[in-house]
Amino acid sequence: MLEASLPIPALNVIFYLASKNRFNGQIPRQICNLTSLQVFDLSYNNLSGTIPQCVGNASKSLIILNLQENNLHGPMLETWAAGNKIKAIQLGQNNLQGKLPRSLTNCRMLEFLDVGNNQIRDTFPSWLGTLPKLKILILRSNGFYGAIAIRSQESDFLFPNLHIIDLSHNGLVGPLPTNYFKRWNGMTDLDEKNITYLHAYDNTVVNEYILPMQYPYSMTIINKGHKLDYMKILEAFSAIDLSCNKFEGEIPEAVGNLKRLQLLNFSNNTLVGAIPSSLGYLTNLEALDLSQNKLTGRIPAQLTQLNFLEVFNVSNNRLTGSIPQGRQFNTFENSSFEGNSGLCGVPLSKKCDDPESKILPPPSSDSGLSADFGWKAVLLGYGCGFLVGVVIGGIVFTRRHE
């Protein structure tokens, strides 16, 4: 692990990888002279100062920009030239201020944008929905505010390839974005056989030799209030975290169309109405957190068909009636349901007088899994953020098929 100022490489360098050291000081402006640079990774250092604004225009060959986990401040890169090749911009865990630059719409190849845990103050960037290849969008823990509005000129471009979105810990208001849920095709198609990882790939010609470049994407998410780094991300992994905002209104039925979802977190908002029975179609779901809202009505019996549901939290709502029984619901503890005075039945001590509570929901006819599929219950708790059901490079939850 090196502790020094950042060295300036040769002008013809292609890959500049200096992550997980103790480099300090500022990023030198001479970096902008590296016109062949493809991968610029200075993540997990102690760099300070601002990002040189010339980086966005310095090299049209730049594919990866990873400056996360430093002490950088000031604005993001204001200008991205048209025709650039950038695929991943990772600037999370810094102290960046200002707004997201609208020139990001020039990044037509962009697949991964992470500006989480900064001090950005802006409205929700619906204009990023015009980027056709964007798969991961992390805006967590900033100052994004207002409703998620869709401008008319963007109505046909609503993040069509998105796999993962984390908007938690912001100031977003208004209803949940139904139009987005209807258009997020990247979360609707199930391909359980796809075990590839998300990465950037490109070929570089060096002295008449073809040099392949493969850079795996990584991300930081919140698990039970703890920050976890995932060094690889499965292509099949899909997640939505809109927790700790000020969303209101009902949960749209359209969420049930996102059958690729493994994680869904709407906790700590002011959502009302019933839990949609369409959530029972999310057969890939492993974690569902709807806690700390104002939801009413019964817990849909259809949720017992979610054979991979390991974590479930509807605590501190206004739910009533008997808790569904069977399958994964036999593993959830009291804390998953507490704070709902109208709920009754196992695992709560309050017994049900409703005769309907004695009727178990019928088994799913289209499920290929046995009803005694076993999971050990894990509670989401009361905090915001993801509780990950699939962890890449750390903890792995496996699925057992009969």
Side-chain angles (χ1 to χ4, degrees):
M1 185 176 291
L2 300 175
E3 185 171 2
S5 297
L6 194 66
I8 300 174
L11 293 178
N12 61 349
V13 71
I14 298 174
F15 308 134
Y16 193 165
L17 305 173
S19 65
K20 297 182 179 178
N21 284 287
R22 294 178 180 172
F23 288 120
N24 52 45
Q26 299 189 16
I27 300 174
R29 288 184 57 84
Q30 290 92 323
I31 293 296
C32 299
N33 297 327
L34 308 180
T35 56
S36 299
L37 189 63
Q38 289 191 2
V39 179
F40 189 35
D41 186 350
L42 306 180
S43 58
Y44 301 96
N45 280 288
N46 296 318
L47 298 171
S48 58
T50 60
I51 303 174
Q53 290 296 310
C54 54
V55 171
N57 286 321
S59 174
K60 288 190 176 181
S61 62
L62 188 64
I63 296 174
I64 304 294
L65 176 63
N66 190 347
L67 304 178
Q68 66 180 345
E69 286 272 6
N70 280 285
N71 298 308
L72 301 170
H73 66 268
M76 288 181 57
L77 294 174
E78 295 291 340
T79 304
W80 288 93
N84 68 70
K85 296 175 63 178
I86 194 78
K87 292 186 177 181
I89 301 174
Q90 296 172 255
L91 303 175
Q93 307 286 328
N94 280 287
N95 297 302
L96 300 175
Q97 299 107 18
K99 296 183 176 183
L100 287 181
R102 271 47 179 177
S103 63
L104 284 171
T105 55
N106 291 328
C107 303
R108 307 305 295 173
M109 306 293 290
L110 190 65
E111 297 179 335
F112 186 3
L113 177 62
D114 179 2
V115 296
N117 294 87
N118 279 287
Q119 300 173 31
I120 297 171
R121 181 166 175 78
D122 202 350
T123 56
F124 177 75
S126 58
W127 40 271
L128 287 176
T130 62
L131 299 179
K133 298 188 177 183
L134 188 63
K135 295 182 179 181
I136 304 174
L137 179 61
I138 299 177
L139 307 180
R140 176 187 62 247
S141 297
N142 277 285
F144 289 97
Y145 62 91
I148 299 183
I150 303 171
R151 295 185 297 185
S152 58
Q153 62 268 36
E154 299 159 352
S155 59
D156 293 329
F157 304 96
L158 306 180
F159 302 92
N161 206 27
L162 202 61
H163 292 193
I164 299 167
I165 182 168
D166 184 356
L167 306 181
S168 62
H169 292 272
N170 280 288
L172 298 169
V173 301
L176 293 174
T178 302
N179 287 335
Y180 284 124
F181 297 147
K182 291 179 178 179
R183 297 288 192 91
W184 284 351
N185 297 329
M187 300 185 188
T188 60
D189 300 325
L190 275 176
D191 185 5
E192 296 180 351
K193 296 180 180 179
N194 189 351
I195 56 173
T196 59
Y197 295 100
L198 292 172
H199 63 272
Y201 181 83
D202 197 43
N203 285 323
T204 301
V205 178
V206 179
N207 296 328
E208 299 183 355
Y209 291 96
I210 297 177
L211 181 64
M213 186 279 292
Q214 184 169 305
Y215 184 93
Y217 295 150
S218 60
M219 67 179 179
T220 299
I221 56 179
I222 304 300
N223 183 351
K224 292 184 179 179
H226 299 286
K227 182 178 69 174
L228 293 180
D229 299 320
Y230 300 98
M231 306 316 296
K232 290 185 178 181
I233 307 168
L234 275 173
E235 178 80 30
F237 183 73
S238 187
I240 296 176
D241 188 352
L242 305 184
S243 64
C244 296
N245 280 283
K246 300 176 183 178
F247 289 114
E248 57 191 19
E250 299 185 355
I251 300 174
E253 291 278 348
V255 177
N257 296 329
L258 307 178
K259 297 180 181 179
R260 190 172 180 167
L261 274 180
Q262 295 172 16
L263 306 174
L264 180 60
N265 191 345
F266 289 158
S267 67
N268 285 268
N269 285 286
T270 55
L271 301 176
V272 299
I275 299 174
S277 60
S278 63
L279 297 186
Y281 295 124
L282 302 179
T283 54
N284 220 34
L285 201 62
E286 297 179 0
L288 175 61
D289 190 355
L290 305 176
S291 63
Q292 303 285 339
N293 281 288
K294 298 179 180 180
L295 300 173
T296 56
R298 291 175 174 266
I299 299 173
Q302 289 85 346
L303 298 186
T304 62
Q305 300 175 17
L306 303 180
N307 292 303
F308 298 133
L309 190 62
E310 183 186 358
V311 291
F312 179 68
N313 194 349
V314 292
S315 63
N316 295 291
N317 279 285
R318 300 171 182 178
L319 299 172
T320 57
S322 58
I323 296 172
Q325 302 298 308
R327 299 188 182 183
Q328 297 308 98
F329 272 74
N330 292 344
T331 69
F332 303 140
E333 299 182 4
N334 285 29
S335 54
S336 292
F337 307 99
E338 63 188 6
N340 294 278
S341 59
L343 282 180
C344 61
V346 178
L348 300 177
S349 58
K350 181 180 179 181
K351 298 185 181 298
C352 296
D353 297 328
D354 186 351
E356 291 184 13
S357 65
K358 298 183 172 122
I359 302 175
L360 295 180
S364 173
S365 59
D366 59 354
S367 173
L369 299 174
S370 171
D372 65 349
F373 181 94
W375 279 103
K376 186 175 181 181
V378 181
L379 299 182
L380 276 171
Y382 301 107
C384 301
F386 285 148
L387 177 58
V388 173
V390 173
V391 174
I392 309 305
I395 306 165
V396 178
F397 295 142
T398 60
R399 299 180 176 182
R400 173 169 61 84
H401 297 269
E402 290 292 319

